[in-house]
Amino acid sequence: MNKQLLIALSLLFFAVLYFGGRLMYQSSNHDVSSDKQSALVRPHAFMLGNPDAKTTIVEFFDPACETCKSFYPFVKNILKQHPDQLKLVLRYAPFHTDSYYVVAMIEAARLQNKYLEALEVIYQYQDKWASHTGAPNIGLIWSFLPEAGIDVEKLKNDMKKPEIDAIIKKDIADTKTLGVKATPEFFVNAKPLVKFGKKELQALIDSEL
Amino acid sequence: MNHIQNSSQRAWLVLFLAWIVTMISTLGSLFFSEIMLFPPCVLCWYQRICMYPLTLIFIVGIFSNDRTVFRYALPLVAVGLFFALYHNLLYYGIVPETLAPCTQGVSCTSDYIHWFGFITIQGLSLFAFSLLAVLLSIFKKVSR
């Protein structure tokens, strides 16, 4: 066989392999299988919107993640546009160093009915405490929390509660079950966001409304 | 005469194999990022920068019977091998991660694939660059 023919045939072979693979991958079903769907929504998870809504958005987030911060107002706005049809379930994926403790702060703030207030103030000062040049300085967060009207002394005590530890451990276990590897990860009615992006998330939600 | 023909044929075969390795690596990495939508981290990009041009350099070498292809391919393979090695040391925690810049929240140590418990993307990259280094050294020998 001469060189040209061999190279041409190899190229053809690679093209068939690549585009055939693409077709197979994209047409396969990526929905969360029914045996794993219980890992999406847990009774302990914080929920926003209409509890009886038929469309459920599940978001796994990390308070130190910049993309999560930028998606937060976006998702909240979608929720505002469809207050009756949507609910948002917030789950933790504390992948960054020390995010575990930040998540525990948010859970402890929930005991003071300040869940969203805590989350928002933590996001607001994210560039201060979670700078990307070094390890996060979560100690800084104590000074921001009173802005949200949070009793820091009570919060510090509540953070030690075993229930909070159990909730976070459960969420981490669920990220493994569901194969959540990056944050934020969204599931709309158990359908994962296959191509990541705000436009894509909007389209996925619209298709499920 | 026969000897010369034999050695050039062997050199050709080695180049062809090297080209196949670069094609599989290139298309494989594109499949991960463009179709499975795994965002590539910074270190993955450095390795891609070294791998992708090799597909064209080897093709030119194959068609022009050019022994000097060794000289053009070697720096790319060496730099790629360096980053692949570093990436793997980082992944296994031998080098601390804070040294690596990671943008857009894509960590250089995140695990996108974990086949059979030990095959990772950075592992595949190290394997490919090592294979290319071996093939290039064989090529250097047989093309003399």
Side-chain angles (χ1 to χ4, degrees):
Chain A
M1 200 186 307
N2 69 32
K3 278 186 206 177
Q4 281 89 340
L5 188 64
L6 186 62
I7 299 282
L9 284 178
S10 308
L11 280 173
L12 188 71
F13 172 75
F14 283 127
V16 168
L17 207 65
Y18 186 81
F19 291 104
R22 184 173 80 166
L23 203 69
M24 268 172 60
Y25 184 81
Q26 287 179 342
S27 58
S28 64
N29 186 359
H30 297 281
D31 294 4
V32 176
S33 58
S34 49
D35 58 314
K36 287 180 180 169
Q37 282 189 11
S38 63
L40 280 171
V41 179
R42 298 282 182 195
H44 67 245
F46 186 83
M47 203 211 65
L48 258 161
N50 175 11
D52 303 316
K54 72 176 174 81
T55 306
T56 307
I57 307 168
V58 178
E59 177 186 353
F60 279 89
F61 75 97
D62 181 330
C65 152
E66 288 160 7
T67 317
C68 300
K69 177 184 172 176
S70 96
F71 266 79
Y72 178 74
F74 177 77
V75 175
K76 226 180 154 187
N77 191 38
I78 297 179
L79 226 59
K80 216 187 277 171
Q81 285 163 18
H82 309 279
D84 300 326
Q85 295 140 284
L86 282 176
K87 66 168 175 255
L88 172 68
V89 177
L90 290 171
R91 307 289 310 274
Y92 306 117
F95 294 154
H96 284 83
T97 320
D98 290 344
S99 279
Y100 181 91
Y101 301 103
V102 183
V103 162
M105 290 176 196
I106 299 172
E107 267 306 310
R110 191 174 169 185
L111 300 174
Q112 301 179 28
N113 283 322
K114 298 276 187 203
Y115 185 99
L116 284 182
E117 289 83 348
L119 177 62
E120 280 167 18
V121 86
I122 284 168
Y123 272 154
Q124 187 190 334
Y125 293 106
Q126 190 191 58
D127 53 341
K128 299 235 165 41
W129 64 267
S131 108
H132 257 219
T133 48
N137 187 358
I138 60 166
L140 288 173
I141 298 176
W142 302 125
S143 60
F144 305 135
L145 287 175
E147 285 181 33
I150 288 162
D151 179 345
V152 173
E153 284 315 304
K154 181 176 168 8
L155 187 103
K156 281 184 179 171
N157 279 322
D158 287 343
M159 275 174 70
K160 295 174 195 145
K161 290 189 171 167
E163 305 94 270
I164 288 182
D165 185 57
I167 286 174
I168 303 169
K169 290 217 167 92
K170 188 81 196 161
D171 279 22
I172 293 172
D174 285 344
T175 64
K176 298 210 169 85
T177 309
L178 295 165
V180 174
K181 295 192 176 86
T183 51
E185 177 82 85
F186 291 95
F187 296 89
V188 182
N189 287 349
K191 290 191 174 64
L193 194 58
V194 177
K195 186 169 170 24
F196 188 79
K198 284 183 179 163
K199 253 196 310 201
E200 288 78 4
L201 178 63
Q202 178 85 58
L204 180 63
I205 293 170
D206 287 345
S207 72
E208 291 294 318
L209 275 173
Chain B
M1 198 61 199
N2 200 9
H3 169 75
I4 293 167
Q5 213 169 25
N6 241 345
S7 98
S8 103
Q9 230 160 28
R10 258 184 297 169
W12 184 86
L13 185 70
V14 174
L15 265 196
F16 180 70
L17 285 177
W19 178 70
I20 295 284
V21 171
T22 62
M23 282 301 283
I24 293 172
S25 310
T26 298
L27 292 177
S29 80
L30 285 173
F31 196 92
F32 285 137
S33 67
E34 300 311 301
I35 295 169
M36 299 179 81
L37 301 165
F38 297 154
C41 79
V42 172
L43 285 175
C44 300
W45 269 113
Y46 296 161
Q47 290 159 69
R48 287 165 158 222
I49 288 164
C50 296
M51 183 62 81
Y52 294 0
L54 285 170
T55 57
L56 301 174
I57 288 175
F58 284 137
I59 277 274
V60 175
I62 285 170
F63 281 123
S64 57
N65 270 328
D66 186 0
R67 279 179 299 149
T68 56
V69 69
F70 176 83
R71 273 188 241 162
Y72 302 105
L74 188 66
L76 288 168
V77 172
V79 174
L81 192 60
F82 169 78
F83 281 113
L85 201 64
Y86 179 67
H87 197 173
N88 278 273
L89 291 177
L90 202 66
Y91 177 74
Y92 289 106
I94 300 164
V95 172
E97 187 176 12
T98 42
L99 294 177
C102 293
T103 54
Q104 294 184 333
V106 182
S107 163
C108 296
T109 54
S110 47
D111 237 350
Y112 290 124
I113 65 164
H114 215 119
W115 295 333
F116 313 114
F118 69 97
I119 298 179
T120 59
I121 296 177
Q122 53 273 33
L124 289 171
S125 168
L126 182 61
F127 177 69
F129 277 114
S130 311
L131 203 57
L132 287 177
V134 170
L135 286 170
L136 270 188
S137 62
I138 296 173
F139 176 75
K140 175 88 173 149
K141 261 191 205 126
V142 295
S143 67
R144 245 198 303 248

